[in-house]
């Protein structure tokens, strides 16, 4: 493992800031600590909502006191690849920057239509967006009018699925 491999996380934060997931799942026995917004995830597991308020400037502000197993154990595909030397640090940062650029583009476009969703997890915002606008206009009109956002979201998911999301998704986050 290279010394600086974990440093990619401080340039990223996508597993905590709502880019990848709407929720972080906690185990049956873990207590509901104050400061988190608890909910039951779509698959009925105990979870807290993301973005997590403890993430500040892409860094966990309670890193040494993180109360949940998922916070300590989660390592995305990209981090694992850097640790095992299958992806270089430079290429990992390039991928992170690609996601950041797409994410900013999508958020700007989405928030023009749904300013009240500022700060919510991106998958959740996108779902609401499709449900709301998809139901008010025909499919063809919807695609014509919002094709740019849909394409950017498709590209974002493609990168996330290819480079970040692992089997851990099922175990720890959703
Ligand atoms: S998504 Fe991966 S690289 Fe980014 S902060 Fe989480 S574990 Fe680190
Ligand atoms: S407590 Fe820290 S590691 Fe856990 S979700 Fe929040 S910011 Fe991420």
């Amino acid at each position: 493992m290279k010394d600086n491999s974990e440093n990619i996380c401080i340039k990223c934060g996508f597993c905590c800031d709502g880019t990848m997931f709407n929720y972080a799942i906690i185990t049956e026995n873990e207590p509901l600590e104050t400061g988190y917004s608890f909910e039951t995830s779509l698959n009925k597991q105990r979870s807290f909502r993301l973005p997590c308020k403890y993430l500040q400037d892409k860094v966990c502000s309670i890193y040494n006191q993180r109360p949940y197993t998922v916070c300590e154990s989660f390592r995305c595909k990209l981090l694992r690849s850097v640790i095992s030397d299958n992806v270089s640090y430079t290429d990992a940062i390039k991928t992170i920057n690609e996601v950041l650029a797409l994410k900013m583009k999508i958020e700007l476009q989405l928030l023009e239509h749904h300013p009240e969703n500022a700060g919510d997890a991106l998958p959740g915002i996108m779902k609401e967006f499709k449900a709301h606008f998809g139901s008010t206009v025909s499919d063809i009109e919807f695609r014509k009018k919002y094709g740019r956002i849909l394409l950017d979201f498709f590209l974002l998911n493609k990168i996330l699925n290819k480079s970040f999301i692992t089997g851990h998704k099922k175990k720890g986050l959703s």
Side-chain angles (χ1 to χ4, degrees), residues 8-9 12-16 20 74-76 78-79 96 164:
I8 68 163
C9 292
C12 175
F14 299 149
C15 55
C16 303
M20 291 163 69
F74 184 78
R75 282 182 174 179
C76 73
L78 189 68
L79 178 57
I96 288 169
F164 289 83

Side-chain angles (χ1 to χ4, degrees), residues 8-91:
I8 68 163
C9 292
I10 63 175
K11 310 263 185 210
C12 175
F14 299 149
C15 55
C16 303
D17 73 358
T19 302
M20 291 163 69
F21 308 111
N22 294 313
Y23 304 94
I25 293 168
I26 61 174
T27 67
E28 283 295 308
N29 305 322
E30 288 179 309
L32 303 183
E33 304 282 346
T34 53
Y36 293 87
S37 177
F38 292 100
E39 290 203 10
T40 305
S41 69
L42 280 182
N43 47 6
K44 311 275 184 244
Q45 288 170 292
R46 296 166 85 225
S47 61
F48 62 88
R49 276 194 86 80
L50 299 174
C52 175
K53 73 171 206 174
Y54 292 112
L55 188 76
Q56 285 166 17
D57 292 332
K58 307 184 196 309
V59 176
C60 176
S61 60
I62 55 165
Y63 189 79
N64 292 323
Q65 291 92 36
R66 292 164 295 170
Y68 295 116
T69 312
V70 64
C71 297
E72 281 180 35
S73 63
F74 184 78
R75 282 182 174 179
C76 73
K77 200 193 277 183
L78 189 68
L79 178 57
R80 286 162 186 249
S81 303
V82 172
I83 289 171
S84 59
D85 282 348
N86 288 322
V87 170
S88 71
Y89 177 80
T90 310
D91 285 346

Side-chain angles (χ1 to χ4, degrees), residues 129-146:
F129 173 82
K130 282 182 184 165
H132 178 74
F133 288 95
S135 65
T136 54
V137 290
S138 78
D139 196 43
I140 294 171
E141 273 179 85
F142 179 69
R143 282 170 192 280
K144 221 164 140 186
K145 195 163 178 188
Y146 302 109

